[in-house]
Amino acid sequence: MRPCAPDELDAVLAVWRRAEAEPSVSDDLESLRRLVAHDPGSLLVAELDGEIVGTLIAAWDGWRGNLYRLAVLPEHRRHGFGRELVRHAELELRRWGAIRVAAVVVEDHDPATGFWLAAGYERQSLRLRFVKNFQPKNPGP
């Protein structure tokens, strides 16, 4: 478990595709470059024999910790990579001062919701998440 290097962002996107992570408007190199430039330690990767096999974004906004994009390649699931990524992220978030951590999870993905429940997270049924996507900036002609 370690922070992602800037030259590994293509590999992260490949993990998300192979892991069939739900696509997002921020699944692109430029968005990941901004993330790593803003907070170099926030994009965590699990590596096995030189290959990135899992990812997790651990974001700290100064008030709460948030976990996004837990993805493990299908052939490496159920071997502890997800648990270790979460454990590493939680340690870092606590070190930064977080006393609460939230995980963003696709509601109807039973393996994912089961994972987070087993990891000690509680489902909040009385909260909704509202999202607004901005259009990507047009780089011009």
Side-chain angles (χ1 to χ4, degrees):
M1 307 306 133
R2 60 175 176 76
C4 182
D7 64 348
E8 297 175 311
L9 300 177
D10 281 318
V12 168
L13 291 171
V15 167
W16 292 353
R17 284 189 299 273
R18 285 183 54 205
E20 298 180 346
E22 183 172 305
S24 168
V25 297
S26 55
D27 292 359
D28 58 66
L29 280 175
E30 188 54 38
S31 294
L32 289 179
R33 283 185 188 121
R34 278 193 308 274
L35 172 66
V36 171
H38 173 72
D39 184 356
S42 63
L43 177 52
L44 303 173
V45 295
E47 183 181 9
L48 178 66
D49 299 328
E51 177 189 17
I52 293 176
V53 300
T55 70
L56 179 62
I57 296 172
W60 168 244
D61 63 13
W63 184 51
R64 289 187 178 167
N66 292 287
L67 301 176
Y68 307 94
R69 285 310 215 194
L70 176 61
V72 176
L73 293 177
E75 63 270 25
H76 295 290
R77 291 180 185 155
R78 305 194 68 80
H79 295 282
F81 291 106
R83 277 192 316 274
E84 281 303 303
L85 282 164
V86 170
R87 187 187 69 75
H88 186 83
E90 289 174 342
L91 288 172
E92 285 301 304
L93 290 167
R94 287 184 65 115
R95 187 176 63 80
W96 295 333
I99 59 172
R100 185 176 194 171
V101 177
V104 176
V105 183
V106 176
E107 183 176 19
D108 64 355
H109 191 260
D110 292 337
T113 56
F115 171 88
W116 288 103
L117 289 169
Y121 286 72
E122 298 175 19
R123 182 184 196 126
Q124 285 196 328
S125 59
L126 299 178
R127 305 285 189 277
L128 294 175
R129 180 173 179 236
F130 291 86
V131 177
K132 183 177 187 177
N133 293 322
F134 295 117
Q135 295 297 317
K137 292 181 182 177
N138 186 352

